[in-house]
Every structure is written in C-alpha cells, then in structure tokens.
Amino acid sequence: MSRPGANPALVAKLEQERQLRAGISGHKTGLPKKLLELFAPLPPLPFKENIRKRKPKTGYSGIAQYVSLFAKEGDPEYEPKQDNPLPEPRLFRNPEMPLQARVEGPLKLERVIAKRKAAAARAAKALAKGSDEWDPTHNPQVEGDPFKTLFVGRLSFDVTDKKLQREFEEYGPIKNVTLVHNTKSGKARGYAFIEYEHKEDMKNAYKLADGRKVEGKRVTVDVERGRTVPGWKPRRLAGGKGGETRAP
C-alpha cells in the first residue's frame, strides 16, 4: 500500500522491481537460492534428559602432605618476597569501592608513572654529571683561538669540511674547520667550528653569514661561547643561546 501523496510512477516502478526480484528466487531480496541457504537458520539442538556426568579418573585431594617439601629460608631454591612499595596516597582508586582487585600490588598506571619518575631522575643525574664534567677550557681536543672561531649550526649531515670552507672563506682566510661527530657512532652532529686567521674576518662572517644556505639548509652562526662566556653551557646541558626554534 502506497503512502498518500506518493508519486504513482515511482511506486509502480518499485513494485515492478520487487516482483522481478521475487520472480528470480522467490525471495523478496532477489538473492539466488544457494546464497540464501548460507543464511538459513540451523535446526535447534536436540534436548537430552538425565545426562550422566563423568567421574574423574583420580579423586581430588589436598596438598597438606606436600607442604613440608616447599622451600624455606636457607634453602638454595627459596625466593624471598620482593618488597614492592606502593605509592602513598594510592593513585587511581575509586573512593566509592571499599575493596579493589589487586589492592596489594601497583596498578598499571602507577607502574607507568613510577617508570617515568625513574627515567626523569636518571636524566637529571646524567645532566648534573655532564654539567660538572663539561669544561671546554681544559679540553685537549679543543684548539685554536676562541675569539677567532665561528660556530656554525643546523648543518646538513652530508656537508664536508671542504664544502664548508669554500662557503665561508669569502669572508676571509680560514685557518681550520672542525666538523663535530659523535664519538660512538661517528655520525655528524650537525654543527662545526671555523677558525679564521683574523678576528675581523670572524666578525664579518658573524654579521653576514647567519641564514645562509649550505647544502640546501639555512645555517645559523654564532661566536664560540664555550670558551669566551663564563658559565655558559650548550643546549644538551640545559643551556644554549635560546631564541628562535628549529622549525623551518
């Protein structure tokens, strides 16, 4: 039965399509018979009365007779109970529940927070140790006049000392170029130190070379602050110059 106000032509067309589908397989969906059999319900399970339960082959018994065989204090196999201090006050407890499952052990989120705190403590310890050991004025690997040395950062990892010298020798004669590498992996760390023959050439490079493109990347330049500014520390030791971010 069509709704009042419906389009008669559309109703007639839909009725013809329904009759065509029903004529193919006898079903209103028009699906073939073999496909409809896949969705047919299975017959109900047969009802059985008085099902006899199988008796266990061996009877159940207690473990009291084996308690004396458990490892005790002093035995090589004895493992003492590990102390696992719980955070106080307990975190993530539901105040509406008087009891919780696994109350005596730390929850998953509590373990995650404990790991984060331990990692932060290790990082702070490593930072304090690195700050105490960092002294560029007495480093035998650091050479040259610090007041003639230019710091170049944000370098491409593919740049070479020869390429760097060709780019910066237009400001004056260069005495030495030092690309800094990781002592363990040997990979470049993305910055270098350029020592000029004259202090005025270093000052010109400091004023004009900032933002210059080297190997497709814009570099940043600065004076060498490690040996010229008292108390200065690099960024890896929570120091640095600050200022703009590294975003392009």
Side-chain angles (χ1 to χ4, degrees):
M1 180 176 181
S2 61
R3 293 180 298 176
N7 188 351
L10 180 61
V11 173
K13 182 178 180 182
L14 294 176
E15 180 64 20
Q16 291 178 359
E17 292 179 356
R18 187 187 66 78
Q19 293 178 1
L20 179 61
R21 289 196 301 267
I24 296 176
S25 61
H27 195 267
K28 61 181 180 179
T29 60
L31 296 176
K33 183 178 180 180
K34 291 185 178 180
L35 187 59
L36 291 172
E37 291 177 355
L38 297 176
F39 299 95
L42 297 176
L45 297 176
F47 178 75
K48 293 185 179 180
E49 297 182 355
N50 301 327
I51 301 177
R52 292 187 301 175
K53 296 183 179 180
R54 295 181 181 180
K55 294 184 179 181
K57 295 181 179 180
T58 56
Y60 298 108
S61 60
I63 62 170
Q65 55 182 337
Y66 303 106
V67 173
S68 60
L69 302 177
F70 292 172
K72 301 179 180 179
E73 294 186 9
D75 296 340
E77 299 178 355
Y78 177 75
E79 296 183 0
K81 183 179 179 181
Q82 298 181 357
D83 296 333
N84 194 0
L86 301 177
E88 292 294 340
R90 292 299 300 276
L91 304 176
F92 312 109
R93 293 200 60 170
N94 189 350
E96 298 179 359
M97 296 177 61
L99 297 176
Q100 278 187 334
R102 300 178 64 182
V103 173
E104 300 302 325
L107 302 177
K108 181 179 180 180
L109 291 178
E110 291 174 341
R111 291 196 297 268
V112 171
I113 292 178
K115 289 181 179 180
R116 290 178 180 175
K117 289 182 177 180
R122 291 193 300 269
K125 184 178 180 181
L127 180 63
K129 182 180 178 182
S131 299
D132 295 339
E133 296 178 352
W134 191 76
D135 186 8
T137 57
H138 296 85
N139 190 346
Q141 297 181 354
V142 179
E143 300 177 351
D145 188 351
F147 295 97
K148 299 179 182 179
T149 303
L150 182 74
F151 168 82
V152 184
R154 303 183 188 177
L155 286 171
S156 170
F157 296 127
D158 299 329
V159 72
T160 61
D161 52 354
K162 293 183 179 180
K163 173 66 175 178
L164 203 59
Q165 183 170 354
R166 287 196 303 267
E167 293 288 342
F168 282 86
E169 65 183 358
E170 66 179 67
Y171 304 105
I174 294 176
K175 183 178 180 180
N176 185 30
V177 176
T178 303
L179 274 172
V180 181
H181 294 79
N182 191 312
T183 56
K184 296 182 179 180
S185 62
K187 296 182 180 180
R189 302 191 63 176
Y191 63 94
F193 295 94
I194 300 176
E195 183 184 1
Y196 284 89
E197 294 284 352
H198 309 289
K199 188 185 297 185
E200 294 299 327
D201 298 335
M202 188 276 295
K203 291 181 179 180
N204 291 333
Y206 172 71
K207 296 177 182 178
L208 302 175
D210 192 39
R212 178 172 182 158
K213 274 194 174 183
V214 179
E215 292 290 340
K217 292 188 65 176
R218 294 194 180 275
V219 300
T220 179
V221 299
D222 193 12
V223 297
E224 184 185 345
R225 299 179 180 269
R227 293 184 293 170
T228 58
V229 179
W232 186 88
K233 294 180 181 179
R235 181 176 295 181
R236 61 184 175 86
L237 298 178
K241 182 181 177 182
E244 300 179 355
T245 63
R246 292 177 177 266

